[in-house]
Amino acid sequence: MNKTELIEKIAAGSGLPKTDAKKALDATVAAIKEALIAGDKIALVGFGTFSVNERPAREGINPATKQKIQIAAKKVAKFKAGAELADALN
């Protein structure tokens, strides 16, 4: 499912026009993004939890040259499915 299809599903499920559904989706994504940038955790009961995970710096190997390279530390977004979502998938 892509963004356009998701907007159509939101519009159909909520009775909103597609333009309002798009605004709602964009606002939701922006709010989640801002919270993650601030280092907050977003818990949506029954759906899941979004959080930020820090990966430490590590040594890797360039597959083309076989030389060792240093991979920098970075932050990554993490999602853990909630119990209801996990049960629905199985």
Side-chain angles (χ1 to χ4, degrees):
M1 177 182 290
N2 62 27
K3 186 176 179 180
T4 303
E5 293 168 341
L6 181 58
I7 290 169
E8 290 172 4
K9 287 272 193 182
I10 292 170
S14 65
L16 292 172
K18 286 183 186 177
T19 55
D20 290 345
K22 181 181 184 316
K23 288 178 187 175
L25 178 61
D26 289 342
T28 303
V29 170
I32 292 171
K33 183 178 174 182
E34 288 172 14
L36 290 175
I37 289 170
D40 294 337
K41 183 186 281 190
I42 300 100
L44 303 173
V45 176
F47 183 69
T49 304
F50 294 92
S51 61
V52 177
N53 209 15
E54 293 192 28
R55 286 192 184 160
R58 62 191 193 280
E59 193 173 84
I61 298 175
N62 181 338
T65 64
K66 307 295 184 207
Q67 290 181 332
K68 291 185 178 184
I69 57 172
Q70 195 63 25
I71 301 171
K74 69 178 187 176
K75 295 180 182 180
V76 293
K78 178 179 160 188
F79 175 76
K80 182 176 186 231
E84 287 181 34
L85 178 59
D87 290 343
L89 295 175
N90 292 318

